[in-house]
C-alpha cells in the first residue's frame, strides 16, 4: 500500500504523464480514430494454447502432422506447449489490459470441445476452460471476439474425408451450435472460419499444411465450396436458434492482399481482376454480393481452362439456386485479414509457369512484391500501408460497404524488443485505416496480429509476429512487451498516430522523455516531503 506521501507522489507523476501525453497530441494532425472504433489483438488456439492432450482434448490434424512427420516443419518443432496459454491465460489477459485494447480475438479448439469431432460427446473440461477465459476477459472489460474454426480440424474427421466429405457441413454446424449454446450468452461477436482461401490453398492445393493433399485444380475448389456451405450452416443456425435471445453477430474471416496491375496494358488489368476474383472473390462474392454465387469471371476462367484440358465439365463444382440463396448474406460482417500488396501481370512469361490444372493456371496471372517497399523477416511481406486503404475502398464500392473488422494485420521480425520494423508497419497500416474511414468505409475495428509470438504453422517458431516477445526457453514462457506494444498502446489511448513517439522497451516505460521527467519530479518531491 502507498503511504499518504507516496500516494501524493504517485498522483503528481500521473498528472505529469497525462500532461506530457496531451502536449504530444496537440502537435499532431486532427485526424483521429472515432471513440467507438474497436482496437484489439488476435491469436489462435493451436498457435498459443499448448496442452495438446490435456483434460480430454483429442488430436487435431496439426497434432497428427507434427508427431508423425516433424521434419515437415521448418525447425522440427510442434505446438504441444507453444505459449502455454492453457495455463497462462490470465497473463495473456493482463497483457491485453496493459495494451488498453477493448477486444480480444481468440479461437476455440474443436477437439478441446469435441475430442472425437462429432457432437455426440462434449468434453466438459474443454467447456470449462473457455468459460474461464471468457469470464476473465469480461471481468477485465475486454470483449471476447471468438473464432469457431482456425485450421485445427479433428484428425478423426480428416480420416473420414475432412473438407472433402459433404457431411462436414453438418459436423461443423453441430460444433458451432454447441459453442453458441455454451458461450453465446457472453460472446456477441463470432467468426465462423478463418482464411478459407489460405486453408484450402495450403491443405488441399499444394500440400504444405495437413492433410497435405496436392490438388490445386480440383480439391482446392471443393474445399472452398464446403467451407462456404459450412459457414452458411453456422450462420443460419445462429440466426434461427440464437439471435433473438443472444443478440450477437456472426461473420467470416477472409484474407486478401490488394493487387495493382503491373502496367496499364489490357492484359495486366484483366489479369489483376481475374487474380483477385479467385483469391478474394471466390469467398467474398457468394456471401456479400447482391447476386451471390462465384464471380462470373472466375466461373468463366475455370470453365475455359477445364474445357481446354479435355474435361467434360468445369473443375469448379457450382451451386444450385437454393444453395446460392442459402450462402448469400450469410455473414453479419467481414473479418478482413490483410498483410501485403502485390503487382499482377499477364504476359508471355506466364506461359508454362503454373501446375496444370491449378487455380494459379486458371487465373493465368502472376504476381510480385515491389522490392522498394520495406522488407520484413517474412519474405512474403513488405510494408505498403496504402494497399489496405485501396482494398477497403474496393470492398466498399464493390460490395455495398459491409461492416468490416480488420481481424489480422501484422509483420514478422526476429527476436528482440526494439522491433522498429513492426512499429513502422503498424503506423503505416493504421494510417491507411484512417484514410479509409475518412472515405466512408464501414470499418469498425482493428486487431493486431499477434498479441504475442506464437507457433507459425509450418514455419514453427522461426517467425515472430508478437507485440510481446515470448521466451520459449523459459518453462514459464515469459512474455515481454516490445517497442511496438508501447506504440500500439499509445495509439489506442490517444486515438492518433504520433510518429515522434519513441518509447524505450528496455526501460519498461511509455516514453523515454516522460520517464526521465518523472524520475526528476520524484526525486525533487521526495526531497521536499522529507
Amino acid at each position: 500500500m502507498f503511504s499518504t506521501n507516496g500516494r501524493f507522489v504517485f498522483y503528481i507523476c500521473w498528472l505529469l504523464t497525462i500532461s506530457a501525453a496531451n502536449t504530444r497530441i496537440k502537435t499532431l494532425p486532427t485526424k483521429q480514430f472515432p471513440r467507438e472504433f474497436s482496437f484489439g489483438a488476435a491469436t489462435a488456439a493451436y498457435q498459443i494454447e499448448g496442452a495438446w492432450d490435456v483434460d480430454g482434448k483429442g488430436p487435431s490434424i496439426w497434432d497428427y502432422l507434427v508427431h508423425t512427420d516433424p521434419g515437415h516443419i521448418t525447425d522440427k518443432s510442434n505446438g504441444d506447449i507453444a505459449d502455454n496459454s492453457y495455463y497462462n491465460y490470465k497473463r495473456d489477459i493482463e497483457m491485453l489490459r496493459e495494451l488498453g485494447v477493448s477486444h480480444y480475438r481468440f479461437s476455440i479448439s474443436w477437439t478441446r470441445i469435441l475430442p472425437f469431432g462429432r457432437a455426440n460427446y462434449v468434453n466438459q473440461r474443454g467447456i470449462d476452460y473457455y468459460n474461464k477465459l471468457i469470464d476473465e476477459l469480461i471481468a477485465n472489460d475486454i470483449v471476447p471476439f471468438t473464432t469457431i474454426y482456425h485450421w485445427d480440424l479433428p484428425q478423426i474427421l480428416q480420416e473420414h474425408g475432412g473438407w472433402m466429405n459433404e457431411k462436414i457441413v453438418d459436423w461443423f454446424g453441430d460444433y458451432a451450435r454447441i459453442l453458441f449454446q455454451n458461450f453465446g450468452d457472453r460472446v456477441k461477436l463470432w467468426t465462423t472460419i478463418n482464411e478459407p482461401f489460405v486453408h484450402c490453398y495450403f491443405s488441399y492445393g499444394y500440400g504444405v499444411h495437413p492433410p497435405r493433399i496436392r490438388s490445386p485444380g480440383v480439391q482446392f475448389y471443393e474445399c472452398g465450396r464446403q467451407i462456404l456451405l459450412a459457414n452458411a450452416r453456422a450462420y443460419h443456425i445462429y440466426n434461427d436458434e440464437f439471435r433473438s435471445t443472444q443478440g450477437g453477430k456472426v461473420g467470416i474471416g477472409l484474407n486478401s492482399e490488394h493487387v495493382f496491375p503491373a502496367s496499364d496494358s489490357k492484359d495486366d488489368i484483366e489479369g489483376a481482376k481475374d487474380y483477385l476474383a479467385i483469391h478474394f472473390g471466390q469467398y467474398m462474392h457468394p456471401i456479400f454480393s447482391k447476386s451471390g454465387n462465384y464471380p462470373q469471371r472466375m466461373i468463366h476462367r475455370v470453365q475455359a481452362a477445364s474445357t481446354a484440358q479435355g474435361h467434360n465439365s468445369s473443375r469448379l463444382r457450382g451451386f444450385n439456386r437454393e444453395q446460392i440463396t442459402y450462402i448469400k448474406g450469410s455473414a453479419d460482417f467481414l473479418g478482413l485479414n490483410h498483410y501485403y500488396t502485390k503487382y499482377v501481370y499477364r504476359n508471355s512469361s506466364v506461359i508454362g509457369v503454373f501446375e496444370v490444372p491449378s487455380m494459379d493456371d486458371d487465373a493465368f496471372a502472376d504476381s510480385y512484391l515491389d522490392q522498394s517497399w520495406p522488407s520484413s523477416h517474412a519474405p512474403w511481406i513488405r510494408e505498403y500501408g496504402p494497399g489496405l486503404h485501396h482494398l477497403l475502398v474496393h470492398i466498399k464500392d464493390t460490395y455495398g460497404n459491409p461492416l468490416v473488422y480488420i481481424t489480422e494485420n501484422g509483420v514478422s521480425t526476429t527476436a528482440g524488443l526494439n522491433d522498429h520494423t513492426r512499429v513502422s508497419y503498424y503506423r503505416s497500416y493504421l494510417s491507411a485505416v484512417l484514410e479509409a474511414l475518412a472515405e466512408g468505409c464501414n470499418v469498425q475495428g482493428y486487431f493486431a496480429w499477434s498479441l504475442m509470438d506464437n507457433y507459425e504453422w509450418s514455419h514453427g517458431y522461426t517467425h515472430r509476429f508478437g507485440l510481446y516477445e515470448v521466451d520459449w526457453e523459459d518453462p514459464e514462457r515469459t512474455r515481454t512487451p516490445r517497442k511496438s506494444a508501447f506504440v500500439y498502446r499509445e495509439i489506442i489511448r490517444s486515438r492518433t498516430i504520433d510518429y515522434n513517439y519513441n518509447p524505450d522497451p528496455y526501460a519498461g516505460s511509455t516514453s523515454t522523455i516522460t520517464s526521465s521527467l518523472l524520475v526528476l519530479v520524484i526525486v525533487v518531491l521526495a526531497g521536499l516531503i522529507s
Side-chain angles (χ1 to χ4, degrees), residues 8-84:
F8 175 72
V9 171
F10 178 80
Y11 180 68
I12 293 297
C13 293
W14 177 77
L15 288 175
L16 285 169
T17 302
I18 297 300
S19 176
N22 288 339
T23 301
R24 277 202 310 276
I25 294 171
K26 289 176 183 177
T27 66
L28 295 174
T30 56
K31 195 176 294 182
Q32 289 186 317
F33 289 97
R35 275 293 151 196
E36 62 273 16
F37 188 87
S38 303
F39 284 101
T43 62
Y46 184 75
Q47 294 181 268
I48 68 165
E49 282 182 2
W52 78 277
D53 62 349
V54 168
D55 290 342
K57 179 185 173 295
S60 72
I61 54 175
W62 278 95
D63 295 317
Y64 181 79
L65 170 63
V66 299
H67 294 144
T68 57
D69 189 8
H72 185 71
I73 308 302
T74 300
D75 58 2
K76 299 180 174 59
S77 64
N78 57 58
D80 288 2
I81 301 175
D83 296 336
N84 218 17

Side-chain angles (χ1 to χ4, degrees), residues 58 69 167 185 223 299 413 463 501 507 522 527:
D69 189 8
K167 292 180 180 178
D185 59 326
C223 171
I299 294 172
T413 61
H463 288 275
Y501 179 58
I522 290 170

Side-chain angles (χ1 to χ4, degrees), residues 486-506:
F486 293 101
V487 170
Y488 190 44
R489 179 177 70 178
E490 178 62 13
I491 291 171
I492 295 170
R493 189 201 66 78
S494 66
R495 301 275 150 172
T496 59
I497 302 170
D498 183 355
Y499 284 85
N500 296 316
Y501 179 58
N502 187 32
D504 179 1
Y506 290 98

Side-chain angles (χ1 to χ4, degrees), residues 34 40 71 82 84 120 219 227 235 251 255 276 297-298 331 339-340 348 388 455 492 498 504:
N84 218 17
N120 54 356
Q219 292 194 35
I227 281 179
Y235 177 85
N255 65 287
L276 195 61
R297 66 172 54 242
M298 176 185 175
Y339 289 90
Y340 52 84
S348 59
L388 177 55
Y455 188 77
I492 295 170
D498 183 355
D504 179 1

Side-chain angles (χ1 to χ4, degrees), residues 106 127-139 142-146 178-190 238 245-248:
F106 64 95
I127 297 290
D128 293 343
Y129 167 70
Y130 291 108
N131 271 329
K132 289 188 296 184
L133 173 62
I134 291 166
D135 288 345
E136 188 75 12
L137 286 168
I138 293 172
I142 298 169
V143 177
F145 193 116
T146 306
I178 288 170
L179 301 192
F180 298 149
Q181 288 171 338
N182 284 276
F183 311 125
D185 59 326
R186 289 151 292 155
V187 174
K188 304 303 177 184
L189 291 167
W190 297 92
Y238 189 84
T245 56
Q246 295 182 358

